[in-house]
Amino acid sequence: MTTMEVESFLETFQTLIMASLTPEGGAHASTAPYVRVGNDFYILISTVAQHGRNLLSNPNISLLFVEDESQCVQPFARKRVTIEAAASEMSREEDAYSSVIERFRAHFDPELVTSLTQMGDFHLFKLSPKSGSVVMGFGKAYRLDAHLEVLTQIMGQHQRGHGNG
């Protein structure tokens, strides 16, 4: 497994799946369109929505990019990348804000993105990876660093091993 293979897999997605924590500590799963700049992911979401409120109260999140079930050969070994990340709200005054919004306009409906940025409840969040993992099949699991580079293979402790049923 190479870092380039992880990058190629991530490039196939327009949306991410995000697990966040409610202010009361409950788990909440959601999805959002995103753009990527370097190693960081950016989402433009409403703070009226639960996931927006969650990010304002707790920056610790987990991101999931998972192979489409219709393309999946084996559901038990579904290809996926999981990223532990920290969320931070970007101010409209920050230099990078405009360039990230321009990226959203280039990847999605530009009129819709412009409309969303004019709404007071829509905020731009930067999601910065801390670590992660990638699974590309049975016995093909690897740890990722904060730069999403492949570190080491994850080895399991199976009593019988795969296929010895």
PDB file of all heavy atoms in Angstrom, residues 10-46:
ATOM      1  N   LEU A  10      -9.035   8.657  -2.187  1.00  0.00           N
ATOM      2  CA  LEU A  10      -9.712   9.850  -1.654  1.00  0.00           C
ATOM      3  C   LEU A  10     -10.227  10.766  -2.762  1.00  0.00           C
ATOM      4  O   LEU A  10     -11.251  11.427  -2.597  1.00  0.00           O
ATOM      5  CB  LEU A  10      -8.773  10.631  -0.730  1.00  0.00           C
ATOM      6  CG  LEU A  10      -8.453   9.967   0.611  1.00  0.00           C
ATOM      7  CD1 LEU A  10      -7.409  10.775   1.365  1.00  0.00           C
ATOM      8  CD2 LEU A  10      -9.707   9.782   1.452  1.00  0.00           C
ATOM      9  N   GLU A  11      -9.550  10.799  -3.885  1.00  0.00           N
ATOM     10  CA  GLU A  11      -9.958  11.662  -5.002  1.00  0.00           C
ATOM     11  C   GLU A  11     -11.268  11.219  -5.653  1.00  0.00           C
ATOM     12  O   GLU A  11     -11.848  11.977  -6.429  1.00  0.00           O
ATOM     13  CB  GLU A  11      -8.853  11.718  -6.051  1.00  0.00           C
ATOM     14  CG  GLU A  11      -7.662  12.540  -5.620  1.00  0.00           C
ATOM     15  CD  GLU A  11      -6.530  12.503  -6.631  1.00  0.00           C
ATOM     16  OE1 GLU A  11      -6.725  11.998  -7.755  1.00  0.00           O
ATOM     17  OE2 GLU A  11      -5.434  12.984  -6.286  1.00  0.00           O
ATOM     18  N   THR A  12     -11.758  10.038  -5.331  1.00  0.00           N
ATOM     19  CA  THR A  12     -12.992   9.551  -5.950  1.00  0.00           C
ATOM     20  C   THR A  12     -14.258  10.072  -5.253  1.00  0.00           C
ATOM     21  O   THR A  12     -15.355   9.790  -5.711  1.00  0.00           O
ATOM     22  CB  THR A  12     -13.031   8.007  -5.969  1.00  0.00           C
ATOM     23  OG1 THR A  12     -13.086   7.508  -4.638  1.00  0.00           O
ATOM     24  CG2 THR A  12     -11.819   7.428  -6.689  1.00  0.00           C
ATOM     25  N   PHE A  13     -14.092  10.831  -4.176  1.00  0.00           N
ATOM     26  CA  PHE A  13     -15.240  11.276  -3.387  1.00  0.00           C
ATOM     27  C   PHE A  13     -15.492  12.771  -3.518  1.00  0.00           C
ATOM     28  O   PHE A  13     -14.569  13.548  -3.667  1.00  0.00           O
ATOM     29  CB  PHE A  13     -15.017  10.948  -1.898  1.00  0.00           C
ATOM     30  CG  PHE A  13     -14.895   9.485  -1.620  1.00  0.00           C
ATOM     31  CD1 PHE A  13     -13.651   8.867  -1.651  1.00  0.00           C
ATOM     32  CD2 PHE A  13     -16.013   8.718  -1.363  1.00  0.00           C
ATOM     33  CE1 PHE A  13     -13.525   7.515  -1.409  1.00  0.00           C
ATOM     34  CE2 PHE A  13     -15.897   7.371  -1.123  1.00  0.00           C
ATOM     35  CZ  PHE A  13     -14.649   6.755  -1.151  1.00  0.00           C
ATOM     36  N   GLN A  14     -16.781  13.155  -3.423  1.00  0.00           N
ATOM     37  CA  GLN A  14     -17.180  14.562  -3.344  1.00  0.00           C
ATOM     38  C   GLN A  14     -17.707  14.904  -1.955  1.00  0.00           C
ATOM     39  O   GLN A  14     -17.812  16.070  -1.602  1.00  0.00           O
ATOM     40  CB  GLN A  14     -18.288  14.866  -4.358  1.00  0.00           C
ATOM     41  CG  GLN A  14     -17.846  14.782  -5.797  1.00  0.00           C
ATOM     42  CD  GLN A  14     -18.971  15.271  -6.680  1.00  0.00           C
ATOM     43  OE1 GLN A  14     -19.289  16.458  -6.706  1.00  0.00           O
ATOM     44  NE2 GLN A  14     -19.587  14.348  -7.393  1.00  0.00           N
ATOM     45  N   THR A  15     -18.094  13.876  -1.208  1.00  0.00           N
ATOM     46  CA  THR A  15     -18.629  14.080   0.132  1.00  0.00           C
ATOM     47  C   THR A  15     -17.874  13.189   1.112  1.00  0.00           C
ATOM     48  O   THR A  15     -17.299  12.170   0.737  1.00  0.00           O
ATOM     49  CB  THR A  15     -20.137  13.749   0.213  1.00  0.00           C
ATOM     50  OG1 THR A  15     -20.339  12.388  -0.152  1.00  0.00           O
ATOM     51  CG2 THR A  15     -20.954  14.649  -0.687  1.00  0.00           C
ATOM     52  N   LEU A  16     -17.912  13.590   2.349  1.00  0.00           N
ATOM     53  CA  LEU A  16     -17.325  12.788   3.412  1.00  0.00           C
ATOM     54  C   LEU A  16     -18.405  12.427   4.419  1.00  0.00           C
ATOM     55  O   LEU A  16     -19.438  13.088   4.502  1.00  0.00           O
ATOM     56  CB  LEU A  16     -16.157  13.530   4.083  1.00  0.00           C
ATOM     57  CG  LEU A  16     -16.390  14.954   4.607  1.00  0.00           C
ATOM     58  CD1 LEU A  16     -17.152  15.006   5.920  1.00  0.00           C
ATOM     59  CD2 LEU A  16     -15.060  15.659   4.760  1.00  0.00           C
ATOM     60  N   ILE A  17     -18.154  11.362   5.146  1.00  0.00           N
ATOM     61  CA  ILE A  17     -19.015  10.970   6.254  1.00  0.00           C
ATOM     62  C   ILE A  17     -18.271  11.375   7.519  1.00  0.00           C
ATOM     63  O   ILE A  17     -17.076  11.118   7.654  1.00  0.00           O
ATOM     64  CB  ILE A  17     -19.296   9.448   6.239  1.00  0.00           C
ATOM     65  CG1 ILE A  17     -20.003   9.063   4.935  1.00  0.00           C
ATOM     66  CG2 ILE A  17     -20.124   9.045   7.464  1.00  0.00           C
ATOM     67  CD1 ILE A  17     -20.081   7.569   4.691  1.00  0.00           C
ATOM     68  N   MET A  18     -18.989  12.029   8.411  1.00  0.00           N
ATOM     69  CA  MET A  18     -18.353  12.594   9.600  1.00  0.00           C
ATOM     70  C   MET A  18     -19.067  12.124  10.859  1.00  0.00           C
ATOM     71  O   MET A  18     -20.288  12.172  10.938  1.00  0.00           O
ATOM     72  CB  MET A  18     -18.426  14.123   9.489  1.00  0.00           C
ATOM     73  CG  MET A  18     -17.890  14.874  10.664  1.00  0.00           C
ATOM     74  SD  MET A  18     -17.893  16.666  10.385  1.00  0.00           S
ATOM     75  CE  MET A  18     -19.567  17.001   9.877  1.00  0.00           C
ATOM     76  N   ALA A  19     -18.282  11.699  11.832  1.00  0.00           N
ATOM     77  CA  ALA A  19     -18.810  11.383  13.154  1.00  0.00           C
ATOM     78  C   ALA A  19     -18.354  12.490  14.093  1.00  0.00           C
ATOM     79  O   ALA A  19     -17.154  12.792  14.172  1.00  0.00           O
ATOM     80  CB  ALA A  19     -18.302  10.031  13.634  1.00  0.00           C
ATOM     81  N   SER A  20     -19.310  13.102  14.757  1.00  0.00           N
ATOM     82  CA  SER A  20     -18.997  14.181  15.699  1.00  0.00           C
ATOM     83  C   SER A  20     -19.734  13.892  17.001  1.00  0.00           C
ATOM     84  O   SER A  20     -20.524  12.947  17.091  1.00  0.00           O
ATOM     85  CB  SER A  20     -19.419  15.536  15.114  1.00  0.00           C
ATOM     86  OG  SER A  20     -20.801  15.554  14.815  1.00  0.00           O
ATOM     87  N   LEU A  21     -19.464  14.714  18.010  1.00  0.00           N
ATOM     88  CA  LEU A  21     -20.106  14.549  19.308  1.00  0.00           C
ATOM     89  C   LEU A  21     -21.024  15.728  19.577  1.00  0.00           C
ATOM     90  O   LEU A  21     -20.637  16.885  19.373  1.00  0.00           O
ATOM     91  CB  LEU A  21     -19.063  14.451  20.417  1.00  0.00           C
ATOM     92  CG  LEU A  21     -18.198  13.206  20.379  1.00  0.00           C
ATOM     93  CD1 LEU A  21     -17.070  13.312  21.403  1.00  0.00           C
ATOM     94  CD2 LEU A  21     -19.032  11.965  20.634  1.00  0.00           C
ATOM     95  N   THR A  22     -22.232  15.426  20.048  1.00  0.00           N
ATOM     96  CA  THR A  22     -23.163  16.483  20.436  1.00  0.00           C
ATOM     97  C   THR A  22     -22.626  17.170  21.690  1.00  0.00           C
ATOM     98  O   THR A  22     -21.764  16.610  22.391  1.00  0.00           O
ATOM     99  CB  THR A  22     -24.567  15.915  20.725  1.00  0.00           C
ATOM    100  OG1 THR A  22     -24.485  15.084  21.891  1.00  0.00           O
ATOM    101  CG2 THR A  22     -25.125  15.125  19.549  1.00  0.00           C
ATOM    102  N   PRO A  23     -23.130  18.357  22.020  1.00  0.00           N
ATOM    103  CA  PRO A  23     -22.692  19.018  23.259  1.00  0.00           C
ATOM    104  C   PRO A  23     -22.922  18.150  24.505  1.00  0.00           C
ATOM    105  O   PRO A  23     -22.213  18.274  25.489  1.00  0.00           O
ATOM    106  CB  PRO A  23     -23.538  20.293  23.302  1.00  0.00           C
ATOM    107  CG  PRO A  23     -23.796  20.597  21.856  1.00  0.00           C
ATOM    108  CD  PRO A  23     -23.982  19.234  21.214  1.00  0.00           C
ATOM    109  N   GLU A  24     -23.892  17.230  24.432  1.00  0.00           N
ATOM    110  CA  GLU A  24     -24.162  16.337  25.560  1.00  0.00           C
ATOM    111  C   GLU A  24     -23.276  15.089  25.535  1.00  0.00           C
ATOM    112  O   GLU A  24     -23.377  14.244  26.414  1.00  0.00           O
ATOM    113  CB  GLU A  24     -25.638  15.899  25.549  1.00  0.00           C
ATOM    114  CG  GLU A  24     -26.636  17.036  25.674  1.00  0.00           C
ATOM    115  CD  GLU A  24     -26.818  17.834  24.372  1.00  0.00           C
ATOM    116  OE1 GLU A  24     -26.742  17.253  23.279  1.00  0.00           O
ATOM    117  OE2 GLU A  24     -27.007  19.050  24.476  1.00  0.00           O
ATOM    118  N   GLY A  25     -22.445  14.956  24.507  1.00  0.00           N
ATOM    119  CA  GLY A  25     -21.535  13.813  24.429  1.00  0.00           C
ATOM    120  C   GLY A  25     -22.052  12.644  23.618  1.00  0.00           C
ATOM    121  O   GLY A  25     -21.404  11.597  23.569  1.00  0.00           O
ATOM    122  N   GLY A  26     -23.188  12.792  22.969  1.00  0.00           N
ATOM    123  CA  GLY A  26     -23.735  11.721  22.143  1.00  0.00           C
ATOM    124  C   GLY A  26     -23.091  11.689  20.769  1.00  0.00           C
ATOM    125  O   GLY A  26     -22.653  12.713  20.246  1.00  0.00           O
ATOM    126  N   ALA A  27     -23.030  10.511  20.187  1.00  0.00           N
ATOM    127  CA  ALA A  27     -22.454  10.357  18.847  1.00  0.00           C
ATOM    128  C   ALA A  27     -23.457  10.815  17.793  1.00  0.00           C
ATOM    129  O   ALA A  27     -24.662  10.622  17.942  1.00  0.00           O
ATOM    130  CB  ALA A  27     -22.088   8.896  18.614  1.00  0.00           C
ATOM    131  N   HIS A  28     -22.934  11.422  16.735  1.00  0.00           N
ATOM    132  CA  HIS A  28     -23.778  11.905  15.641  1.00  0.00           C
ATOM    133  C   HIS A  28     -23.038  11.695  14.327  1.00  0.00           C
ATOM    134  O   HIS A  28     -21.895  12.137  14.175  1.00  0.00           O
ATOM    135  CB  HIS A  28     -24.096  13.387  15.825  1.00  0.00           C
ATOM    136  CG  HIS A  28     -24.924  13.961  14.730  1.00  0.00           C
ATOM    137  ND1 HIS A  28     -26.292  13.777  14.650  1.00  0.00           N
ATOM    138  CD2 HIS A  28     -24.591  14.696  13.643  1.00  0.00           C
ATOM    139  CE1 HIS A  28     -26.748  14.385  13.570  1.00  0.00           C
ATOM    140  NE2 HIS A  28     -25.731  14.944  12.937  1.00  0.00           N
ATOM    141  N   ALA A  29     -23.668  11.014  13.378  1.00  0.00           N
ATOM    142  CA  ALA A  29     -23.074  10.789  12.058  1.00  0.00           C
ATOM    143  C   ALA A  29     -23.798  11.654  11.035  1.00  0.00           C
ATOM    144  O   ALA A  29     -25.013  11.832  11.102  1.00  0.00           O
ATOM    145  CB  ALA A  29     -23.177   9.319  11.671  1.00  0.00           C
ATOM    146  N   SER A  30     -23.022  12.188  10.090  1.00  0.00           N
ATOM    147  CA  SER A  30     -23.603  13.029   9.048  1.00  0.00           C
ATOM    148  C   SER A  30     -22.693  12.990   7.824  1.00  0.00           C
ATOM    149  O   SER A  30     -21.650  12.346   7.829  1.00  0.00           O
ATOM    150  CB  SER A  30     -23.770  14.464   9.548  1.00  0.00           C
ATOM    151  OG  SER A  30     -22.512  15.008   9.903  1.00  0.00           O
ATOM    152  N   THR A  31     -23.106  13.704   6.810  1.00  0.00           N
ATOM    153  CA  THR A  31     -22.317  13.789   5.588  1.00  0.00           C
ATOM    154  C   THR A  31     -22.272  15.237   5.125  1.00  0.00           C
ATOM    155  O   THR A  31     -23.168  16.027   5.455  1.00  0.00           O
ATOM    156  CB  THR A  31     -22.906  12.866   4.493  1.00  0.00           C
ATOM    157  OG1 THR A  31     -22.059  12.871   3.360  1.00  0.00           O
ATOM    158  CG2 THR A  31     -24.310  13.264   4.121  1.00  0.00           C
ATOM    159  N   ALA A  32     -21.216  15.577   4.381  1.00  0.00           N
ATOM    160  CA  ALA A  32     -21.089  16.948   3.869  1.00  0.00           C
ATOM    161  C   ALA A  32     -20.204  16.945   2.626  1.00  0.00           C
ATOM    162  O   ALA A  32     -19.220  16.204   2.573  1.00  0.00           O
ATOM    163  CB  ALA A  32     -20.483  17.861   4.930  1.00  0.00           C
ATOM    164  N   PRO A  33     -20.530  17.781   1.650  1.00  0.00           N
ATOM    165  CA  PRO A  33     -19.619  17.983   0.524  1.00  0.00           C
ATOM    166  C   PRO A  33     -18.337  18.635   1.057  1.00  0.00           C
ATOM    167  O   PRO A  33     -18.375  19.381   2.036  1.00  0.00           O
ATOM    168  CB  PRO A  33     -20.363  18.945  -0.393  1.00  0.00           C
ATOM    169  CG  PRO A  33     -21.782  18.893   0.041  1.00  0.00           C
ATOM    170  CD  PRO A  33     -21.755  18.559   1.503  1.00  0.00           C
ATOM    171  N   TYR A  34     -17.226  18.371   0.409  1.00  0.00           N
ATOM    172  CA  TYR A  34     -15.971  18.933   0.879  1.00  0.00           C
ATOM    173  C   TYR A  34     -15.053  19.274  -0.288  1.00  0.00           C
ATOM    174  O   TYR A  34     -15.239  18.802  -1.412  1.00  0.00           O
ATOM    175  CB  TYR A  34     -15.247  17.962   1.825  1.00  0.00           C
ATOM    176  CG  TYR A  34     -14.562  16.824   1.105  1.00  0.00           C
ATOM    177  CD1 TYR A  34     -13.211  16.908   0.766  1.00  0.00           C
ATOM    178  CD2 TYR A  34     -15.254  15.680   0.740  1.00  0.00           C
ATOM    179  CE1 TYR A  34     -12.579  15.878   0.083  1.00  0.00           C
ATOM    180  CE2 TYR A  34     -14.635  14.651   0.068  1.00  0.00           C
ATOM    181  CZ  TYR A  34     -13.296  14.748  -0.256  1.00  0.00           C
ATOM    182  OH  TYR A  34     -12.674  13.742  -0.945  1.00  0.00           O
ATOM    183  N   VAL A  35     -14.078  20.114   0.005  1.00  0.00           N
ATOM    184  CA  VAL A  35     -12.941  20.328  -0.885  1.00  0.00           C
ATOM    185  C   VAL A  35     -11.704  20.092  -0.038  1.00  0.00           C
ATOM    186  O   VAL A  35     -11.736  20.198   1.191  1.00  0.00           O
ATOM    187  CB  VAL A  35     -12.911  21.733  -1.535  1.00  0.00           C
ATOM    188  CG1 VAL A  35     -14.115  21.937  -2.441  1.00  0.00           C
ATOM    189  CG2 VAL A  35     -12.802  22.835  -0.501  1.00  0.00           C
ATOM    190  N   ARG A  36     -10.624  19.786  -0.728  1.00  0.00           N
ATOM    191  CA  ARG A  36      -9.379  19.493  -0.025  1.00  0.00           C
ATOM    192  C   ARG A  36      -8.292  20.441  -0.519  1.00  0.00           C
ATOM    193  O   ARG A  36      -8.152  20.673  -1.716  1.00  0.00           O
ATOM    194  CB  ARG A  36      -8.987  18.044  -0.292  1.00  0.00           C
ATOM    195  CG  ARG A  36      -7.877  17.570   0.583  1.00  0.00           C
ATOM    196  CD  ARG A  36      -7.771  16.071   0.535  1.00  0.00           C
ATOM    197  NE  ARG A  36      -6.517  15.683   1.140  1.00  0.00           N
ATOM    198  CZ  ARG A  36      -5.829  14.627   0.795  1.00  0.00           C
ATOM    199  NH1 ARG A  36      -6.283  13.820  -0.141  1.00  0.00           N
ATOM    200  NH2 ARG A  36      -4.699  14.356   1.385  1.00  0.00           N
ATOM    201  N   VAL A  37      -7.549  20.972   0.427  1.00  0.00           N
ATOM    202  CA  VAL A  37      -6.398  21.817   0.122  1.00  0.00           C
ATOM    203  C   VAL A  37      -5.242  21.239   0.932  1.00  0.00           C
ATOM    204  O   VAL A  37      -5.285  21.253   2.168  1.00  0.00           O
ATOM    205  CB  VAL A  37      -6.637  23.298   0.488  1.00  0.00           C
ATOM    206  CG1 VAL A  37      -5.402  24.125   0.186  1.00  0.00           C
ATOM    207  CG2 VAL A  37      -7.866  23.849  -0.225  1.00  0.00           C
ATOM    208  N   GLY A  38      -4.249  20.707   0.251  1.00  0.00           N
ATOM    209  CA  GLY A  38      -3.159  20.029   0.952  1.00  0.00           C
ATOM    210  C   GLY A  38      -3.708  18.826   1.677  1.00  0.00           C
ATOM    211  O   GLY A  38      -4.443  18.018   1.103  1.00  0.00           O
ATOM    212  N   ASN A  39      -3.403  18.712   2.954  1.00  0.00           N
ATOM    213  CA  ASN A  39      -3.904  17.594   3.755  1.00  0.00           C
ATOM    214  C   ASN A  39      -5.215  17.913   4.458  1.00  0.00           C
ATOM    215  O   ASN A  39      -5.801  17.042   5.089  1.00  0.00           O
ATOM    216  CB  ASN A  39      -2.859  17.178   4.804  1.00  0.00           C
ATOM    217  CG  ASN A  39      -1.677  16.508   4.175  1.00  0.00           C
ATOM    218  OD1 ASN A  39      -1.821  15.711   3.257  1.00  0.00           O
ATOM    219  ND2 ASN A  39      -0.496  16.839   4.641  1.00  0.00           N
ATOM    220  N   ASP A  40      -5.655  19.159   4.393  1.00  0.00           N
ATOM    221  CA  ASP A  40      -6.852  19.566   5.115  1.00  0.00           C
ATOM    222  C   ASP A  40      -8.107  19.448   4.253  1.00  0.00           C
ATOM    223  O   ASP A  40      -8.076  19.663   3.045  1.00  0.00           O
ATOM    224  CB  ASP A  40      -6.707  21.010   5.612  1.00  0.00           C
ATOM    225  CG  ASP A  40      -5.579  21.155   6.611  1.00  0.00           C
ATOM    226  OD1 ASP A  40      -5.449  20.284   7.499  1.00  0.00           O
ATOM    227  OD2 ASP A  40      -4.819  22.141   6.512  1.00  0.00           O
ATOM    228  N   PHE A  41      -9.195  19.109   4.909  1.00  0.00           N
ATOM    229  CA  PHE A  41     -10.508  19.009   4.281  1.00  0.00           C
ATOM    230  C   PHE A  41     -11.322  20.202   4.769  1.00  0.00           C
ATOM    231  O   PHE A  41     -11.200  20.614   5.925  1.00  0.00           O
ATOM    232  CB  PHE A  41     -11.203  17.707   4.699  1.00  0.00           C
ATOM    233  CG  PHE A  41     -10.445  16.478   4.307  1.00  0.00           C
ATOM    234  CD1 PHE A  41      -9.400  16.008   5.089  1.00  0.00           C
ATOM    235  CD2 PHE A  41     -10.757  15.786   3.149  1.00  0.00           C
ATOM    236  CE1 PHE A  41      -8.679  14.875   4.735  1.00  0.00           C
ATOM    237  CE2 PHE A  41     -10.045  14.653   2.778  1.00  0.00           C
ATOM    238  CZ  PHE A  41      -9.006  14.197   3.569  1.00  0.00           C
ATOM    239  N   TYR A  42     -12.156  20.759   3.899  1.00  0.00           N
ATOM    240  CA  TYR A  42     -12.977  21.916   4.248  1.00  0.00           C
ATOM    241  C   TYR A  42     -14.432  21.599   3.954  1.00  0.00           C
ATOM    242  O   TYR A  42     -14.743  21.032   2.900  1.00  0.00           O
ATOM    243  CB  TYR A  42     -12.555  23.148   3.448  1.00  0.00           C
ATOM    244  CG  TYR A  42     -11.176  23.627   3.804  1.00  0.00           C
ATOM    245  CD1 TYR A  42     -10.045  23.076   3.199  1.00  0.00           C
ATOM    246  CD2 TYR A  42     -10.989  24.635   4.750  1.00  0.00           C
ATOM    247  CE1 TYR A  42      -8.771  23.505   3.531  1.00  0.00           C
ATOM    248  CE2 TYR A  42      -9.716  25.079   5.077  1.00  0.00           C
ATOM    249  CZ  TYR A  42      -8.618  24.502   4.470  1.00  0.00           C
ATOM    250  OH  TYR A  42      -7.361  24.930   4.799  1.00  0.00           O
ATOM    251  N   ILE A  43     -15.294  21.948   4.892  1.00  0.00           N
ATOM    252  CA  ILE A  43     -16.726  21.758   4.693  1.00  0.00           C
ATOM    253  C   ILE A  43     -17.435  23.080   4.969  1.00  0.00           C
ATOM    254  O   ILE A  43     -17.018  23.849   5.837  1.00  0.00           O
ATOM    255  CB  ILE A  43     -17.300  20.629   5.578  1.00  0.00           C
ATOM    256  CG1 ILE A  43     -17.023  20.878   7.061  1.00  0.00           C
ATOM    257  CG2 ILE A  43     -16.743  19.277   5.133  1.00  0.00           C
ATOM    258  CD1 ILE A  43     -17.672  19.858   7.997  1.00  0.00           C
ATOM    259  N   LEU A  44     -18.477  23.335   4.216  1.00  0.00           N
ATOM    260  CA  LEU A  44     -19.299  24.532   4.363  1.00  0.00           C
ATOM    261  C   LEU A  44     -20.661  24.044   4.835  1.00  0.00           C
ATOM    262  O   LEU A  44     -21.423  23.472   4.050  1.00  0.00           O
ATOM    263  CB  LEU A  44     -19.400  25.258   3.012  1.00  0.00           C
ATOM    264  CG  LEU A  44     -20.187  26.556   2.970  1.00  0.00           C
ATOM    265  CD1 LEU A  44     -19.554  27.624   3.869  1.00  0.00           C
ATOM    266  CD2 LEU A  44     -20.277  27.047   1.526  1.00  0.00           C
ATOM    267  N   ILE A  45     -20.936  24.216   6.138  1.00  0.00           N
ATOM    268  CA  ILE A  45     -22.159  23.647   6.720  1.00  0.00           C
ATOM    269  C   ILE A  45     -22.870  24.667   7.612  1.00  0.00           C
ATOM    270  O   ILE A  45     -22.264  25.624   8.085  1.00  0.00           O
ATOM    271  CB  ILE A  45     -21.872  22.366   7.529  1.00  0.00           C
ATOM    272  CG1 ILE A  45     -20.877  22.633   8.665  1.00  0.00           C
ATOM    273  CG2 ILE A  45     -21.368  21.246   6.617  1.00  0.00           C
ATOM    274  CD1 ILE A  45     -20.665  21.461   9.604  1.00  0.00           C
ATOM    275  N   SER A  46     -24.136  24.393   7.841  1.00  0.00           N
ATOM    276  CA  SER A  46     -24.966  25.258   8.672  1.00  0.00           C
ATOM    277  C   SER A  46     -24.819  24.893  10.144  1.00  0.00           C
ATOM    278  O   SER A  46     -24.772  23.717  10.504  1.00  0.00           O
ATOM    279  CB  SER A  46     -26.429  25.124   8.263  1.00  0.00           C
ATOM    280  OG  SER A  46     -27.266  25.809   9.178  1.00  0.00           O
TER     281      SER A  46
END
